[in-house]
Amino acid sequence: MKTRADMLAWRRQLLIAESNIQRAELAMEVQPIVYTLASVNIGMRIVRRVSQHPGWLAAIALGVLAIRPQRISSFLRLGTASLRLLRHAAPLLQSSPSTPPSIDAADRTPYADMRLAEPRTEALPAARRGNGG
């Protein structure tokens, strides 16, 4: 028979496991917002910098007039395509290989050893493995 302390310890471990799952789900849901806010921050820095140097706007306008607008449209298309590619590739470049966090023996939950893995072929009968046996 379990004592009250054992039941409370089990309940604590269960709550810790649930909070870890919720924390991971929240991090995944917040990640797109972080990338969006980072791009907004970059845009705001550009606007601040240009507002401090109004001569840059005149130089850009003269550059647009010097280069024909037809050429600019091809450069703009190339630039937007590369920005789109960079936005899609940035999370892949920033992420590191996922490693499971270390778990102390005191905080170990009954579900901590569960991992998603390939099915074990040794547990399957020989006929299902394709050995023809």
Short mmCIF file of all heavy atoms in Angstrom, two decimals, residues 41 43-53:
data_model
loop_
_atom_site.label_atom_id
_atom_site.label_comp_id
_atom_site.label_asym_id
_atom_site.label_seq_id
_atom_site.Cartn_x
_atom_site.Cartn_y
_atom_site.Cartn_z
N ASN A 41 12.01 44.32 -35.89
CA ASN A 41 13.07 45.07 -35.23
C ASN A 41 14.13 45.54 -36.24
O ASN A 41 14.59 46.68 -36.17
CB ASN A 41 13.71 44.21 -34.15
CG ASN A 41 14.67 44.99 -33.28
OD1 ASN A 41 14.59 46.20 -33.18
ND2 ASN A 41 15.59 44.28 -32.64
N GLY A 43 13.62 46.10 -39.42
CA GLY A 43 12.98 47.16 -40.21
C GLY A 43 12.95 48.49 -39.47
O GLY A 43 13.20 49.55 -40.06
N MET A 44 12.67 48.43 -38.19
CA MET A 44 12.65 49.67 -37.39
C MET A 44 14.04 50.30 -37.29
O MET A 44 14.18 51.51 -37.33
CB MET A 44 12.09 49.39 -35.99
CG MET A 44 10.62 49.05 -35.97
SD MET A 44 9.58 50.35 -36.66
CE MET A 44 9.85 51.65 -35.49
N ARG A 45 15.07 49.46 -37.17
CA ARG A 45 16.43 49.99 -37.14
C ARG A 45 16.80 50.67 -38.46
O ARG A 45 17.46 51.71 -38.48
CB ARG A 45 17.43 48.88 -36.82
CG ARG A 45 17.39 48.46 -35.37
CD ARG A 45 18.55 47.60 -34.95
NE ARG A 45 19.17 46.84 -36.02
CZ ARG A 45 19.64 45.61 -35.89
NH1 ARG A 45 19.58 44.99 -34.74
NH2 ARG A 45 20.19 44.99 -36.91
N ILE A 46 16.35 50.08 -39.57
CA ILE A 46 16.63 50.67 -40.89
C ILE A 46 15.92 52.01 -41.02
O ILE A 46 16.50 53.00 -41.48
CB ILE A 46 16.22 49.70 -42.02
CG1 ILE A 46 17.15 48.50 -42.04
CG2 ILE A 46 16.21 50.40 -43.36
CD1 ILE A 46 16.70 47.39 -42.97
N VAL A 47 14.65 52.05 -40.59
CA VAL A 47 13.89 53.31 -40.67
C VAL A 47 14.55 54.38 -39.81
O VAL A 47 14.67 55.54 -40.23
CB VAL A 47 12.42 53.07 -40.26
CG1 VAL A 47 11.69 54.37 -40.02
CG2 VAL A 47 11.71 52.24 -41.31
N ARG A 48 14.99 54.02 -38.60
CA ARG A 48 15.67 54.99 -37.73
C ARG A 48 16.95 55.51 -38.37
O ARG A 48 17.24 56.71 -38.34
CB ARG A 48 15.99 54.34 -36.38
CG ARG A 48 15.10 54.85 -35.28
CD ARG A 48 15.52 54.31 -33.93
NE ARG A 48 14.56 53.28 -33.57
CZ ARG A 48 14.83 52.01 -33.30
NH1 ARG A 48 16.06 51.59 -33.31
NH2 ARG A 48 13.88 51.16 -33.02
N ARG A 49 17.72 54.59 -38.96
CA ARG A 49 18.99 54.98 -39.58
C ARG A 49 18.75 55.91 -40.77
O ARG A 49 19.44 56.90 -40.93
CB ARG A 49 19.73 53.72 -40.02
CG ARG A 49 21.05 53.92 -40.71
CD ARG A 49 22.17 54.38 -39.80
NE ARG A 49 22.38 53.51 -38.67
CZ ARG A 49 23.39 52.67 -38.53
NH1 ARG A 49 24.30 52.59 -39.46
NH2 ARG A 49 23.51 51.94 -37.46
N VAL A 50 17.75 55.59 -41.59
CA VAL A 50 17.47 56.42 -42.76
C VAL A 50 16.93 57.78 -42.33
O VAL A 50 17.25 58.81 -42.94
CB VAL A 50 16.49 55.70 -43.72
CG1 VAL A 50 15.96 56.61 -44.79
CG2 VAL A 50 17.18 54.50 -44.35
N SER A 51 16.11 57.80 -41.27
CA SER A 51 15.59 59.09 -40.81
C SER A 51 16.69 59.98 -40.25
O SER A 51 16.58 61.21 -40.28
CB SER A 51 14.49 58.89 -39.77
OG SER A 51 15.02 58.35 -38.58
N GLN A 52 17.76 59.39 -39.75
CA GLN A 52 18.89 60.18 -39.26
C GLN A 52 19.75 60.71 -40.41
O GLN A 52 20.49 61.66 -40.24
CB GLN A 52 19.76 59.34 -38.32
CG GLN A 52 19.09 59.02 -37.01
CD GLN A 52 19.92 58.07 -36.17
OE1 GLN A 52 20.94 57.56 -36.61
NE2 GLN A 52 19.47 57.81 -34.95
N HIS A 53 19.65 60.07 -41.58
CA HIS A 53 20.46 60.46 -42.75
C HIS A 53 19.53 60.66 -43.95
O HIS A 53 19.43 59.79 -44.83
CB HIS A 53 21.50 59.39 -43.08
CG HIS A 53 22.40 59.06 -41.94
ND1 HIS A 53 23.44 59.88 -41.57
CD2 HIS A 53 22.40 58.03 -41.06
CE1 HIS A 53 24.06 59.35 -40.53
NE2 HIS A 53 23.45 58.23 -40.19
#
